[in-house]
């Protein structure tokens, strides 16, 4: 690589030499670039004057000022897919650490690179690699393969992050964490993104899918390992196993309930269309199906099977059948026989539970669609379903892990107990439809079931009601009963999501109807605010902090006057004196968004300043959401203009869409804007 001598140059492999370089006397630097790299008409973008400027988020930094050049050579990489190649040069600062491999005895240098203004907030992103790599090597019994592992933080990045082998890349929100001002959610994002990309060093890099129709082998495994298995071993206090149910499983069920969904293994005859399958089916449903399989065969055997699969295909390509073969070898079960429909067929089932008396249950499976209008030709698949029937008696719970449903209907006997739940711990990728009477009982019995159970109950009941399988009143009865005893953050988060869906459906109803739904939210969450207050305690557990944040934001969204007054009190010193001491990271978005939503031009302009010069990447994201929630017509016009005049980076456009679509005043307008600008947004 030829670069100015004061720039840092990076590639997949370590550099082996670097020495001064000059173009031949009769050839210009531009001509060298054109001859060797075929830049052609793009030469006007190449600045060889030695004077360039580069903008970073919130600050202006000088780029290279050197007129001297160097040529750097790198070690030859191992055999790998071309999409994993990466190289970079620029004005980067770095932090360093090391990984000491127990499998090889070797020391692997670890670094994270960022622009000088951000490097001070990159330590956590670096530390994650040091913590996670030994766990990955232990789980897979395969050492990290390359002689170094760098992470490069980019100011403009199309995706969230990318698993380039030996040189992981990604946007600022993926790797930068400000310990003083960033939220717990921002910290978790950095942790899971880094762990996700590290998983790809094995799933995707050293073993790559044979073709893009098997993309899920990369992304589902990286999601499962990087956002559940590995975080659970490093940050158990975050309860990642429970979070997976409330996050990825629900995302999968939401997207896959649409008629326009696709199978996990989806035909991809044209590589130019691969962007269409980087969605919650490949990531979240794929990971959820793997989690279900691990629950069926046992996680130890599952991971052993994964190790067998990887070792058989090192530095090569693989397909789904190869994975099933490895897990079958480790578990002694014919995995491909009962997993085929989960990856090859579209959708997932809903099990309808009919109570026949004397403990007898009739269980019937059908495909579930959120629209509730499944056609006969869409309901031909019969899935192999692990029923995981949980029963409780005398305060003790047991799970029948051997019960399955592979026919259209079957009968199951729960015995004399009146406390039972299908799909214990929400391990299965399906929904369960109970009668309204049973839902009411489950709400009263909720303390006898796990957090994952309670999340699943709320999600199923609310989704089935929206699809017409039951009444909204039935799901609200469950929520109301559950709310009387619930103390955990994740079920409350699912409750907030369920009630929020009602708000979304009824957003055009008369004010009296919307106020009634808001009152439901206030009745549910205001007692939590009154109990937990607005300030984090020094010894608060992570989920207590998250519950406090959720309750405050839910009440504010429902226009509770007391909560809005408190948020305004915290924003006023910032507005008037630039004093943000009352605004800590976890409530920053609530303070910003509600101050703009219920304020005027002064509040909007203040947050516009924050957007222009954010102290950290997550604050910029909070600012974008806030700017989009204004009720002021002139400010709303300015928010839309930001998407046209270059103020908004392409990578942030989706955040503007999310914010403007959540503002009931601009919801239709953003749809119209998208249609008018479709060609520009999608093809330039």
């Amino acid at each position: 690589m030829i670069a100015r001598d004061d720039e840092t140059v990076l590639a997949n492999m370590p550099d082996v030499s670097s020495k001064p370089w000059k173009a031949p006397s009769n050839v210009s630097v531009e001509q060298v670039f054109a001859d060797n790299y075929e830049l052609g008409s793009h030469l006007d973008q190449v600045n060889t004057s030695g004077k360039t400027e580069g903008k970073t988020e919130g600050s202006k930094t000088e780029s290279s000022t050197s007129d001297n050049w160097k040529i750097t050579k790198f070690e030859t990489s191992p055999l790998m897919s071309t999409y994993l190649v990466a190289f970079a040069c620029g004005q980067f600062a770095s932090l360093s650490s090391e990984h000491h491999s127990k499998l090889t005895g070797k020391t692997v240098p670890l670094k994270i690179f960022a622009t000088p203004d951000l490097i001070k907030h990159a330590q956590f992103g670096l530390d994650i690699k040091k913590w996670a790599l030994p766990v990955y090597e232990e789980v897979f019994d395969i050492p990290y393969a390359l002689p170094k592992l760098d992470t490069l933080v980019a100011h403009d990045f199309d995706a969230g992050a990318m698993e380039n082998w030996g040189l992981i890349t990604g946007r600022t929100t993926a790797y930068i964490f400000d310990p003083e001002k960033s939220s717990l959610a921002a910290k978790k994002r950095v942790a899971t993104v880094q762990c996700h990309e590290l998983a790809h060093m094995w799933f995707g890099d050293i073993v790559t899918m044979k073709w893009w129709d098997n993309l899920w082998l990369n992304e589902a495994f990286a999601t499962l390992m990087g956002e559940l298995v590995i975080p659970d071993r490093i940050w158990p206090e975050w309860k990642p196993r429970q979070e997976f149910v409330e996050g990825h499983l629900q995302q999968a069920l939401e997207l896959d309930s649409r008629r326009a969904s696709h199978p996990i293994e989806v035909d991809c005859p044209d590589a130019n269309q691969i962007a269409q399958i980087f969605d919650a089916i490949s990531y979240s449903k794929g990971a959820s199906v793997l989690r279900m399989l691990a629950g069926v065969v046992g996680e130890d055997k599952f991971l052993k099977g994964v190790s067998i699969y990887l070792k058989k295909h090192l530095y090569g390509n693989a397909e789904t059948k190869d994975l099933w073969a490895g897990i079958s070898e480790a578990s002694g079960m014919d995995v491909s026989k009962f997993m085929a429909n989960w990856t090859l067929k579209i959708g997932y089932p809903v099990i309808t539970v009919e109570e026949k008396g004397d403990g007898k249950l009739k269980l019937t499976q059908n495909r579930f669609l959120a629209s509730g209008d499944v056609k006969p030709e869409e309901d031909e698949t019969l899935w192999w379903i692990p029923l995981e029937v949980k029963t409780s008696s005398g305060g003790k719970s047991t799970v029948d892990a051997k019960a399955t449903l592979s026919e259209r209907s079957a009968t199951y006997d729960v015995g004399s107990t009146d406390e039972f739940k299908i799909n214990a711990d929400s391990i299965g990728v399906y929904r369960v439809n109970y009668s309204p009477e049973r839902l009411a009982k489950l709400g009263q019995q909720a303390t006898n079931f796990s957090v994952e159970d309670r999340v699943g109950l709320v999600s199923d009941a609310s989704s089935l009601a929206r699809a017409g399988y039951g009444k909204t009143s039935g799901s609200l009865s469950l929520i109301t009963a559950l709310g009387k005893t619930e103390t955990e953050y994740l079920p409350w988060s699912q409750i907030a999501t369920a009630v929020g869906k009602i708000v979304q459906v009824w957003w055009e109803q008369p004010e009296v109807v919307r106020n009634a739904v808001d009152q439901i939210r206030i009745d549910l969450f205001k007692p939590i605010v009154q109990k937990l207050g607005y300030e984090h305690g020094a010894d608060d557990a992570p989920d207590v902090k998250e519950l406090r944040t959720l309750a405050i934001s839910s009440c504010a969204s429902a226009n509770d006057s007391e909560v809005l007054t408190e948020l305004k009190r915290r924003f006023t010193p910032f507005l008037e004196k630039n004093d943000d001491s009352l605004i800590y990271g976890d409530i920053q978005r609530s303070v910003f968004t509600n101050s703009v939503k219920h304020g005027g031009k002064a509040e909007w302009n203040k947050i516009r300043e924050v957007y222009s010069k954010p102290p950290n990447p997550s604050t910029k994201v909070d600012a974008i959401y806030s700017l989009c929630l204004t009720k002021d017509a002139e400010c709303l016009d300015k928010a839309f203009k930001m998407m046209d005049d270059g103020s908004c980076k392409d990578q942030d456009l989706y955040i503007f869409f999310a914010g403007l679509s959540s503002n009931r005043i601009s919801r239709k307008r953003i749809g119209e804007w998208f249609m008018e600008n479709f060609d520009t947004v999608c093809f330039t």
Side-chain angles (χ1 to χ4, degrees):
M1 181 184 295
I2 299 172
R4 292 188 178 86
D5 66 359
D6 64 345
E7 291 185 331
T8 300
V9 292
L10 303 169
N12 300 85
M13 300 294 285
D15 62 277
V16 293
S17 68
S18 182
K19 59 185 180 181
W21 177 89
K22 288 185 178 181
S25 58
N26 60 338
V27 180
S28 68
V29 174
E30 291 94 332
Q31 189 60 49
V32 172
F33 288 163
D35 289 346
N36 291 287
Y37 302 102
E38 299 181 347
L39 292 180
S41 62
H42 300 291
L43 281 176
D44 59 325
Q45 300 174 14
V46 179
N47 186 329
T48 60
S49 67
K51 308 282 187 183
T52 62
E53 289 184 349
K55 288 186 177 180
T56 63
E57 297 179 38
S59 66
K60 185 176 181 181
T61 61
E62 285 295 318
S63 186
S64 178
T65 58
S66 174
D67 289 317
N68 299 317
W69 295 78
K70 63 183 176 183
I71 183 168
T72 303
K73 295 185 178 181
F74 301 90
E75 288 186 30
T76 302
S77 73
L79 189 65
M80 65 179 184
S81 293
T82 53
Y83 75 91
L84 298 173
V85 173
F87 52 89
C89 69
Q91 296 291 305
F92 305 130
S94 65
L95 300 174
S96 301
S97 184
E98 293 179 334
H99 162 59
H100 303 283
S101 174
K102 292 183 178 179
L103 296 180
T104 65
K106 296 180 180 179
T107 296
V108 178
L110 308 174
K111 288 187 177 182
I112 189 165
F113 293 85
T115 49
D117 58 316
L118 292 180
I119 196 66
K120 63 183 178 181
H121 294 147
Q123 186 65 49
F124 182 62
L126 174 65
D127 289 341
I128 295 165
K129 291 195 289 188
K130 182 176 182 179
W131 300 332
L133 278 175
V135 184
Y136 273 116
E137 289 193 343
E138 177 186 354
V139 169
F140 297 144
D141 192 35
I142 300 171
Y144 172 70
L146 300 191
K148 61 95 174 175
L149 179 55
D150 297 332
T151 299
L152 175 63
V153 183
H155 284 272
D156 288 277
F157 201 79
D158 182 42
M162 176 62 198
E163 65 270 19
N164 307 102
W165 207 359
L167 179 55
I168 296 171
T169 53
R171 60 174 62 192
T172 56
T173 53
Y175 299 120
I176 298 299
F177 171 71
D178 180 351
E180 294 184 3
K181 297 301 294 183
S182 295
S183 65
L184 177 58
K187 185 176 186 178
K188 286 186 175 183
R189 171 169 165 74
V190 173
T192 55
V193 169
Q194 188 73 287
C195 286
H196 181 108
E197 302 311 323
L198 289 173
H200 277 308
M201 300 299 103
W202 286 265
F203 289 98
D205 292 7
I206 199 169
V207 178
T208 308
M209 70 272 180
K210 188 173 183 179
W211 183 243
W212 296 105
D213 54 357
N214 276 269
L215 170 70
W216 85 285
L217 286 176
N218 285 13
E219 299 303 347
F221 263 108
T223 300
L224 181 74
M225 299 303 301
E227 303 182 45
L228 187 156
V229 176
I230 302 302
D232 185 56
R233 300 184 185 210
I234 302 176
W235 303 280
E237 68 276 12
W238 289 354
K239 302 179 180 178
R241 291 183 181 274
Q242 298 173 355
E243 281 197 337
F244 185 94
V245 174
E246 200 272 335
H248 283 292
L249 177 59
Q250 302 313 317
Q251 290 177 30
L253 295 174
E254 178 73 17
L255 181 57
D256 206 29
S257 66
R258 301 175 188 176
R259 185 169 272 114
S261 183
H262 62 81
I264 290 176
E265 290 188 60
V266 58
D267 288 338
C268 187
D270 184 356
N272 292 318
Q273 299 176 1
I274 61 173
Q276 298 181 44
I277 56 176
F278 280 85
D279 59 13
I281 302 301
S282 297
Y283 286 72
S284 298
K285 186 187 178 184
S288 297
V289 165
L290 292 174
R291 170 179 172 266
M292 178 173 67
L293 176 58
V296 170
V297 304
E299 188 167 300
D300 289 344
K301 293 180 180 179
F302 173 83
L303 293 175
K304 177 62 176 176
V306 170
S307 178
I308 292 172
Y309 155 78
L310 290 171
K311 289 177 179 178
K312 286 184 177 180
H313 299 279
L314 292 176
Y315 302 102
N317 302 95
E319 300 175 273
T320 299
K321 64 181 179 63
D322 301 316
L323 173 65
W324 295 158
I327 299 175
S328 295
E329 181 179 337
S331 66
M333 302 173 67
D334 186 357
V335 171
S336 61
K337 182 177 181 180
F338 57 81
M339 291 302 295
N341 282 353
W342 288 106
T343 60
L344 298 175
K345 301 293 185 180
I346 189 173
Y348 62 87
V350 54
I351 296 179
T352 300
V353 180
E354 298 178 68
E355 299 184 42
K356 296 297 186 179
D358 296 327
K360 300 294 193 302
L361 308 178
K362 182 182 179 182
L363 308 177
T364 304
Q365 66 161 299
N366 298 96
R367 183 182 172 189
F368 176 74
L369 284 179
S371 54
D373 58 346
V374 181
K375 300 173 183 178
E377 61 269 24
E378 297 172 317
D379 192 23
E380 296 176 349
T381 302
L382 291 177
W383 286 271
W384 181 91
I385 304 172
L387 292 173
E388 299 288 320
V389 182
K390 179 178 287 188
T391 55
S392 182
S393 180
K396 294 183 178 181
S397 296
T398 58
V399 177
D400 183 353
K402 296 182 178 180
T404 61
L405 177 64
S406 55
E407 303 297 327
R408 180 67 66 187
S409 296
T411 300
Y412 187 88
D413 190 348
V414 295
S416 59
T417 183
D418 195 40
E419 295 184 20
F420 65 86
K421 179 185 177 292
I422 310 298
N423 199 12
D425 298 329
S426 299
I427 195 69
V429 186
Y430 58 91
R431 297 200 183 278
V432 183
N433 185 23
Y434 300 99
S435 67
E437 296 77 18
R438 176 54 56 183
L439 277 180
K441 288 183 179 179
L442 285 166
Q444 296 165 1
Q445 301 163 352
T447 54
N448 294 327
F449 295 102
S450 67
V451 168
E452 296 93 327
D453 284 328
R454 303 198 295 273
V455 169
L457 283 170
V458 174
S459 174
D460 287 356
S462 58
S463 297
L464 288 162
R466 290 197 305 275
Y469 286 76
K471 294 183 177 180
T472 301
S473 58
S475 64
L476 288 176
S477 295
L478 170 68
I479 288 170
T480 301
L482 187 59
K484 293 178 181 178
T485 58
E486 187 57 66
T487 59
E488 296 279 350
Y489 161 68
L490 290 169
W492 275 115
S493 179
Q494 193 61 48
I495 288 172
T497 299
V499 181
K501 293 287 187 181
I502 299 175
V503 175
Q504 292 175 8
V505 171
W506 289 351
W507 70 282
E508 292 183 295
Q509 292 296 313
E511 186 175 7
V512 63
V513 176
R514 290 184 280 114
N515 288 345
V517 179
D518 282 344
Q519 191 58 51
I520 292 174
R521 287 196 283 184
I522 293 171
D523 291 343
L524 286 166
F525 288 97
K526 188 63 174 292
I528 301 175
V529 176
Q530 293 169 336
K531 177 183 178 181
L532 298 181
Y534 292 85
E535 295 289 342
H536 290 333
D539 299 324
D540 283 348
D543 53 341
V544 172
K545 295 179 180 179
E546 290 171 308
L547 180 56
R548 178 182 291 109
T549 303
L550 174 69
I552 292 170
S553 64
S554 296
C555 288
S557 297
N559 299 311
D560 179 79
S561 59
E562 292 183 5
V563 173
L564 290 175
T565 298
E566 174 61 20
L567 296 182
K568 181 179 180 180
R569 182 186 75 82
R570 291 171 177 266
F571 186 76
T572 299
F574 183 54
L575 176 65
E576 297 176 349
K577 305 175 185 178
N578 210 36
D579 176 7
D580 64 354
S581 58
L582 297 178
I583 307 173
Y584 57 91
D586 287 329
I587 64 168
Q588 178 175 265
R589 184 174 297 185
S590 289
V591 172
F592 282 7
T593 56
N594 287 286
S595 296
V596 170
K597 180 179 178 181
H598 299 283
K601 292 180 174 60
E603 288 79 5
W604 195 91
N605 289 332
K606 183 63 178 178
I607 298 303
R608 183 64 176 83
E609 293 176 7
V610 174
Y611 172 83
S612 298
K613 296 182 178 180
N616 55 64
S618 59
T619 295
K620 182 179 181 180
V621 173
D622 291 346
I624 296 175
Y625 277 112
S626 304
L627 293 172
C628 295
L629 291 181
T630 180
K631 296 179 182 178
D632 183 274
E634 184 178 336
C635 292
L636 196 58
D637 288 342
K638 291 181 179 179
F640 273 91
K641 187 179 180 181
M642 290 174 69
M643 295 191 293
D644 293 317
D645 65 6
S647 300
C648 165
K649 292 186 176 184
D650 289 348
Q651 68 170 18
D652 296 329
L653 190 63
Y654 80 97
I655 308 175
F656 277 86
F657 270 79
L660 291 166
S661 64
S662 63
N663 184 344
R664 62 186 308 274
I665 297 175
S666 59
R667 184 166 296 158
K668 289 186 176 180
R669 182 176 172 182
I670 186 61
E672 294 167 355
W673 186 95
F674 176 70
M675 297 301 293
E676 293 169 359
N677 294 273
F678 181 82
D679 289 342
T680 301
V681 171
C682 297
F683 299 108
T684 60

